[in-house]
Structures are given as C-alpha cells and as structure tokens.
Amino acid sequence: MAAPPTIPPMESTDGFHPDFNSASAPASPTDHAAPAAPASPDQRTAPHDAQTQQRVHDVLHSDVGVATLLNRLKASIASARDFSSFLKRRGALEEEHAGSLKKLSRLTLEGARKPDTRHESYRTQFEQVLHANERIADNGTQFGLALHAMHENLLQLANKMDANRKTWKQQGLAAENKVQEAERLAEKAKAKYDQLAEDLDRVKTGDTGAGRKFGLKGPKSAAQHEEDLQRKTQAADQDYASKVQTAQTSRKELVTTLRPQAVTALLDLIKETDAALTMEMQKYASFNEKLVVNNGQVISPQPLKGTSAQPPPSINQLIYQINNERDFDEYILSHASNAPLARAELQYVKHPTQALTRSHPTPPGAMSANRRSSIHMQSQPPPPFSMPQTDTNPPPTLQQGPSPPEPSQQATFGTYSQPAQPLSLQPQPQQAQAPQYNNSSFSPVAQNPYSQSDYPRGSGGQATAQQTSGVLYNSTQPPVHPVFGVTLEDLFRRDGSPVPMVVYQCIQAVDLYGLEVEGIYRIPGTSSHIQQMKALFDSDASQVDFRNPEAFQHDVNSVAGLLKQFFRELPDPLLTRDFYSKYIDAARIDDETMRRDSMHALINALPDPNYATLRALVLHLHRVQQSSEVNRMSTANLGICWAPSVMGPHKGNNMADAGLQARVVITILDNVLQIFDED
C-alpha cells in the first residue's frame, strides 16, 4: 500500500488555502475557503456600519481611547497565549498517543511472526492491518509536530506584541497624563483667580467682609487693601492665562499628533495579533480535517482524482480476505511429510515348512506368501537392493501364484526400497506456504533485516512494487538495486559512493526548486507519488535525474518527503544508535561552545558513509535555513522536523528526549560552518 499518509498544512505554497469546505463542511452563510487572513472590512460592510464606524472612531480618539486599546491588545495577547498553550498540550498528547500506538503495533507484529501463532492468510492480512495502525501513528506524529511548530510561532508573536504594548503604553499614557496635568493646573489657577476677583469686587463695593485688612505693620486701610488685592488679582490672571495656553498647546499636540500615532499603532498591533490567531486556528482546523481524511485513506482508501488505478484494499477488505478453511487445510498439508507411509493390510502367513506337509492344494494367498517369504530370505543380506532382484528373478515354482497382494506386501519394505514416496508429498507443504492472494503470487519469505514501515498494497494491478517487512507485494521480482532499508555501509560497499544517490538527487532537486517553497520539509508530499519515486530508486537509481522537474512532476514537497523517508527507514539511524545517548548528554550542556565541541567530536567519530551523508544533508539544510524569510523554515523548525529522521525514535518516556533530539540538530545547524567545511 502507499506510504504513510502525511499532514500537509496547505495545498499550495502560495498561502493557506485548504480545500475541505467545498467537499465536507456544511454550507452556511459564513463559510469561506479558509482564507489566509480575515475578510477585509469591505466584505463585512453593512448599511449601518458607517454610523458604527464613526462612533468607534470617536471613542478611539477620545480621552479613553488609548487606555481602551491597551486593554483590548492585552486581551488579544492573552487569547493568543491560551491557544498556544492548547496547541502545545494537544501536540504532546498526539505524539504520546502516536508513540504508544506504534509501539503496540510493532510488539503485536513481532508476536504475530512467532512460529507458535497462526500463519498463512491470517498473518499476511493481520500484518497489513498492523502496518495501517503504524501509518495512523505516523499521521499523529506529524500532526503533533505541526501543532508544536504552530505553538512556537504563536508564542513568539505574543511575546513580541507584549513588548510593543509596553512601549506604546508608556508613550501614549505619558502624553495623556501630561495634558491632564496641564488642564488640572489651569483649573486650579482659575479657581485662585476667581477667588481674588470676587474679593476685589467686594472691596470696591464697600463690603466689610472682603478679606483680611491686617498687614505686618498693623491694620491696612481700605485703599491699601484694595491695591493689594488688585495686584494679586492681576498676577493670578496672568498665571491662569499662561496655564490655559499651556494646556491648550498640549491638548492640541495630543489630539493632532501623539494620540493618532498611539491609536494607529495599537490598532495595527491588535489587528496583527487577531489575524495571526485566526490564521493559526484555521490551520488547526485544516490540520484536524486532513488528519481525519488521511486516516480515512489508510482505513478505507479512495481512488485519487484523475487516476484510474484501483485503490488499495481497506482494512475491512483485508480482514475479509482471511480464509480460515484454506488456512486450516494448508496447515495440515504442511505436516504431510511427517505422516507415516501407508501400511499393508496385515495377513496370516503359514510357514513354508508347515505348508509343504499339507496334502490339499495350497491357497493362492499362502502360495504368494510363501513366495514372498522365500524372496525375503534370499535377499535379506542387502536390503536396499533386494527388491529389484526379487522382481526380475522370481522362483519359477511360484510364478503361477496370484499377484494382486504383491504391491501391498512390497510396501512393507518401503523404508528401504521406496524413498520416493515421501518426496511426492513435498510440494504440498510448499503450496501451504504460498497461497494465492488476489490471483497473484504471494510468497512469505524470511524476515528482511532492513524492514520498512510501509503499509503494503493489497489488490493486484498496482504499478509500483512495494516491500514491507521483507514481503514483496504486487511484484513478481524484488528490487534490482534496493536503496531504501539498506544500511549506509552496505550502500557504500555496493555503489562506491559515500553519499547515496537518492540523497544526492533529492538535495539537488530541493536546492534547485524548493528553497523558496514555504514549509519545505514540514509539508509532506503525496504519499502515492513518494512510493512511485521510491520504486524508481529501488529499481535503478542511476536512471533518475531530478535536475529536470518533470522527473518528479514538479512536486518538490514529495521529493522532500522521499528524502526524509529514506533516513527514517535506515536500519541504523544516520547519527547511529551507539552514539544516541552521547548526543542526548551533549544536548543537555548549557554552554553553547562546549555543547558544539562535544557534538563535533561525536560527528568526527561517525563511520565514513554516515559522516559524508550527514555533511551533505546539514550543508543543504543550512542553505534551506538561509531562505527562511521566504520558506518559513527556521533552524528551530528544521530541527523539529528532522530530529526523528536522523536520530530515530526518542527513547525517553516523556517529551524531554524529543526536545533534546531537536536541540542536537539545531546545534549542528547553528554551527554547521564550524563543524563542516563548505568546499
């Protein structure tokens, strides 16, 4: 069957445009084709929006506008953090479930291959069912990794927006507070001016209660008191006018310059945060849909659009292909060689000396028995050669006896003279181990030491041959020059190239056509296409040339998926199992220089084919990372995507080992030019 279904987050590299709504989503007035960003304001405009927008504009440019926008931005950041935390936990749960399912499938597969369990069609179909579970587990792993990458992107955005919010909070509120303080001082100056003006008016009108009339030298006269109040009133008037002018200038600057700047900046931050959160939620919805669809393709494959090829059998069809009666017959016939030979019927035979004393004619059975006894006595010294002599030279006195019992009696000496009879039953056990499966030959063979996790195709008619767990499906011949599932040492010894041809071709294709493809190595290609290219390399890798994009149908994501699949199917991972724990220990080192030097020493200790292949791969990923502004594949994203492929499944019981695996790859990528020379 096809390679493990993958979880591409988008259908093309131009943007995020999943195409599930047209087929599966229920129709509703708000249904869209999952746009890359929220709909524009023009698309949401209603007849009453002009009045609403004016009211919103008035509030935003009022004294409470900046504070309101700061609170709204804070709420958007909090929502982004909450959804990011959800993605992290959901991704961890998916990876844990996928790991448990894969482990269970492998343990069950090992148990199904034990000699004391049922074989024949039961084992064949059950192995395919278990491989389907492994494919579902692979889907879950890819889904978890995608959610983890989304979590990191959203968390990074939230941290950035939080820092920008603090900056504009300081600037915007400082301008608002400055104006408010100027207006408060103006109000205070006005109150003082009003009070002095009232006191002066009372003095002029002769009011006896118009303030104090005592000075340092004693009571003041009315004229002196009026003159004093006149002077104080003029000073208060000038102070009041100055502060009013200052407040007016500050408010004018606030209204015309500072407040619009703060409002515009905060609006942009809010829209960017909300749009990013909405896009990540759309991605999450699309990933969920594609996870279900791809799992459905594993459970019940459907024909691809535009192709007439018969899809592989579903799990239900695989189960129904178990033939209990045929399995029983084949099991019994496989033991036919152990069954004893047919025995002759036991008969009474008179001793020849006793038979001669009888006067009446000897019965035919006795005569033939006497003849066989005499023959046996004559030919007893050389048992293996006695029977041919007996047949060719019988005693002439006994040739008139009846001959029908002779074959059965002759069978009593089968252990010496008829070894061919057991050989006649040998093809039957072979037939028991080679049942007809969908009118095509199907022959279980010894377990392949380079077992693959591919889910084999079921029904006949598929154009591409696939090999899973050492069993060849839908192909009359094994791969001519197998590349997948073969150790790097064996490939080097056979082909003479330290870097396998499939690695060279895939790197060349991505360098030429995939460096600016968004999500390269994160977005898997089409699984059936990957299997077709895999079969090409297993047949004759020298005939493949990916410099021409038509060789891979212009699908560079499938080429990237083929490269990752090659490393995943290596019997010993690229960084080797022997060094696994040492790489993990090196990843725990906090000092970057010491961590780099430790990994550099481990890389230098790798076998030559592993070192050469790792060097080619890492330098290629360095070129991919240099275009991260376009392809969105940073060092961290590449480390997460490639860690399981080059190190194998993590051995820890939690996600800590997975994070350390990614740190190993990230450290190598960050220091690639110090570890490897680029020439």
Side-chain angles (χ1 to χ4, degrees), residues 380-650:
Q380 190 172 3
F385 307 99
S386 60
M387 295 307 296
Q389 296 173 3
T390 304
D391 294 337
T392 55
N393 298 315
T397 57
L398 298 178
Q399 288 185 6
Q400 299 300 324
S403 59
E406 185 173 350
S408 62
Q409 196 57 252
Q410 198 174 24
T412 59
F413 303 96
T415 53
Y416 299 102
S417 60
Q418 296 185 16
Q421 186 172 352
L423 296 176
S424 63
L425 299 176
Q426 289 179 359
Q428 295 177 357
Q430 294 176 0
Q431 183 181 1
Q433 296 181 10
Q436 293 298 318
Y437 177 75
N438 288 344
N439 298 326
S440 64
S441 177
F442 172 83
S443 59
V445 295
Q447 296 185 10
N448 190 348
Y450 314 115
S451 61
Q452 305 174 15
S453 59
D454 292 341
Y455 180 6
R457 298 180 186 266
S459 59
Q462 296 294 333
T464 303
Q466 301 177 25
Q467 190 173 11
T468 302
S469 301
V471 182
L472 191 65
Y473 295 87
N474 298 326
S475 175
T476 57
Q477 297 180 355
V480 179
H481 296 288
V483 173
F484 286 77
V486 183
T487 64
L488 295 175
E489 193 73 32
D490 292 340
L491 290 175
F492 178 43
R493 189 181 303 110
R494 185 191 70 189
D495 301 335
S497 174
V499 180
M501 182 59 67
V502 62
V503 176
Y504 174 78
Q505 289 285 358
C506 292
I507 288 177
Q508 184 176 233
V510 176
D511 281 343
L512 291 175
Y513 308 105
L515 293 183
E516 296 185 355
V517 174
E518 182 175 352
I520 190 68
Y521 289 119
R522 176 171 56 84
I523 303 174
T526 306
S527 57
S528 59
H529 187 197
I530 293 174
Q531 290 306 306
Q532 293 174 3
M533 293 188 293
K534 174 184 174 183
L536 290 177
F537 279 102
D538 277 339
S539 297
D540 188 359
S542 63
Q543 299 300 319
V544 182
D545 185 3
F546 279 172
R547 291 176 296 181
N548 181 6
E550 295 181 358
F552 50 88
Q553 302 177 14
H554 297 270
D555 185 5
V556 73
N557 283 327
S558 294
V559 176
L562 179 70
L563 180 60
K564 291 177 65 178
Q565 182 170 341
F566 171 78
F567 286 107
R568 283 199 307 270
E569 293 184 2
L570 285 175
D572 190 22
L574 180 60
L575 296 183
T576 72
R577 292 191 185 91
D578 295 339
F579 289 170
Y580 179 87
S581 59
K582 296 181 181 179
Y583 280 108
I584 296 299
D585 293 339
R588 292 191 174 97
I589 300 175
D590 294 330
D591 184 78
E592 294 183 0
T593 303
M594 294 181 61
R595 184 169 67 251
R596 179 200 66 191
D597 293 342
S598 298
M599 292 188 184
H600 193 175
L602 293 173
I603 290 172
N604 286 339
L606 288 173
D608 291 344
N610 296 61
Y611 180 89
T613 305
L614 177 64
R615 175 182 177 277
L617 175 64
V618 171
L619 289 175
H620 163 67
L621 295 181
H622 177 66
R623 295 191 290 273
V624 174
Q625 183 272 334
Q626 288 178 327
S627 302
S628 60
E629 293 184 358
V630 180
N631 58 38
R632 305 302 178 112
M633 291 305 292
S634 61
T635 303
N637 289 340
L638 289 171
I640 294 172
C641 292
W642 273 96
S645 298
V646 300
M647 296 193 69
H650 62 79

Side-chain angles (χ1 to χ4, degrees), residues 8-325:
M10 60 192 72
E11 291 296 328
S12 68
T13 58
D14 298 333
F16 185 78
H17 300 285
D19 58 353
F20 292 98
N21 290 335
S22 60
S24 60
S28 65
T30 59
D31 281 346
H32 301 284
S40 64
D42 295 338
Q43 295 173 333
R44 301 192 302 267
T45 301
H48 63 280
D49 276 356
Q51 182 180 1
T52 302
Q53 293 300 322
Q54 183 61 40
R55 293 176 58 191
V56 170
H57 180 271
D58 294 341
V59 174
L60 291 180
H61 290 80
S62 66
D63 292 344
V64 300
V66 174
T68 303
L69 287 175
L70 287 172
N71 292 333
R72 178 62 174 78
L73 179 58
K74 183 178 180 180
S76 297
I77 294 173
S79 299
R81 292 185 189 275
D82 290 341
F83 188 63
S84 174
S85 177
F86 166 77
L87 292 175
K88 179 180 179 180
R89 296 181 180 180
R90 175 70 192 278
L93 289 175
E94 288 292 338
E95 290 187 3
E96 181 181 359
H97 174 264
S100 300
L101 180 58
K102 186 164 252 185
K103 181 178 180 181
L104 174 63
S105 299
R106 290 178 177 175
L107 291 176
T108 308
L109 185 61
E110 292 176 1
R113 291 173 175 172
K114 292 181 179 179
D116 55 350
T117 58
R118 280 185 62 182
H119 290 187
E120 298 87 26
S121 66
Y122 164 79
R123 189 183 75 173
T124 303
Q125 307 307 321
F126 188 41
E127 284 182 357
Q128 298 186 48
V129 172
L130 293 177
H131 288 314
N133 281 272
E134 291 181 354
R135 309 304 280 291
I136 294 174
D138 290 338
N139 290 346
T141 300
Q142 295 291 332
F143 180 63
L145 290 174
L147 295 187
H148 186 70
M150 291 169 57
H151 151 72
E152 287 190 344
N153 294 336
L154 201 55
L155 185 61
Q156 183 179 2
L157 174 70
N159 293 335
K160 176 183 175 182
M161 293 301 159
D162 195 20
N164 292 334
R165 178 183 175 275
K166 291 179 180 178
T167 301
W168 283 107
K169 179 181 179 181
Q170 181 180 2
Q171 296 179 4
L173 293 183
E176 296 282 347
N177 293 335
K178 179 181 177 181
V179 173
Q180 292 176 5
E181 181 65 19
E183 292 178 345
R184 187 181 64 80
L185 292 176
E187 291 291 337
K188 186 176 180 180
K190 180 179 182 299
K192 182 179 180 180
Y193 167 72
D194 290 344
Q195 182 64 39
L196 290 173
E198 289 178 2
D199 290 345
L200 180 61
D201 183 64
R202 290 192 189 100
V203 170
K204 288 181 178 180
T205 57
D207 189 354
T208 59
R212 295 177 57 187
K213 298 180 181 180
F214 296 93
L216 295 176
K217 298 180 180 181
K220 295 181 179 180
S221 64
Q224 290 176 338
H225 184 55
E226 181 179 354
E227 182 181 357
D228 187 35
L229 287 176
Q230 183 70 31
R231 179 177 52 80
K232 290 182 178 180
T233 301
Q234 290 177 355
D237 182 36
Q238 293 176 358
D239 182 61
Y240 171 50
S242 174
K243 290 184 177 178
V244 167
Q245 184 178 3
T246 301
Q248 289 176 346
T249 303
S250 299
R251 175 162 288 279
K252 183 178 180 181
E253 182 184 8
L254 174 67
V255 172
T256 59
T257 305
L258 300 180
R259 182 180 289 169
Q261 289 179 354
V263 169
T264 301
L266 290 174
L267 278 174
D268 291 341
L269 294 177
I270 291 172
K271 290 179 180 180
E272 183 179 356
T273 304
D274 293 347
L277 177 59
T278 302
M279 187 184 71
E280 295 299 330
M281 295 183 73
Q282 290 172 345
K283 286 183 180 180
Y284 174 74
S286 177
F287 288 172
N288 274 280
E289 290 175 349
K290 294 194 175 188
L291 176 65
V292 174
V293 169
N294 289 332
N295 286 343
Q297 279 293 97
V298 175
I299 296 172
S300 181
Q302 302 298 320
L304 299 176
K305 294 180 180 179
T307 61
S308 59
Q310 184 71 18
S314 65
I315 291 181
N316 189 32
Q317 293 171 342
L318 292 173
I319 298 301
Y320 273 92
Q321 288 174 359
I322 298 176
N323 191 328
N324 291 329
E325 294 182 358

